[in-house]
Amino acid sequence: MKVRVDEGACVASGMCAYLAPAVFDQREDDGVVVVLHEVPDEGQYEAVQDAVRNCPARVISVEGADDPTEG
């Protein structure tokens, strides 16, 4: 799994950092998403998929994994 984000479209809700804090954080100055681990450990996959599903701006995507919006 490889995590990608569109920082320019991020609305700084913080859901990603809340749901997957080992993978995402937020910039101090504006709250925009920061990817801490572009290729997270397998143990983080479920949390990343939760972050993808719950991102209000839909700015997070993953490559190399099943579609996290299914299921």
Side-chain angles (χ1 to χ4, degrees), residues 12-63:
S13 76
M15 286 304 296
C16 55
Y18 174 75
L19 294 169
V23 179
F24 302 102
D25 199 355
Q26 292 178 275
R27 293 193 305 227
E28 290 287 327
D29 59 339
D30 59 6
V32 169
V33 62
V34 173
V35 178
L36 301 173
H37 299 285
E38 193 174 81
V39 181
D41 293 333
E42 190 172 329
Q44 295 298 316
Y45 285 13
E46 186 174 336
V48 170
Q49 291 173 340
D50 283 345
V52 171
R53 282 191 292 267
N54 289 286
C55 176
R58 303 285 185 232
V59 301
I60 306 168
S61 61
V62 293
E63 296 176 4

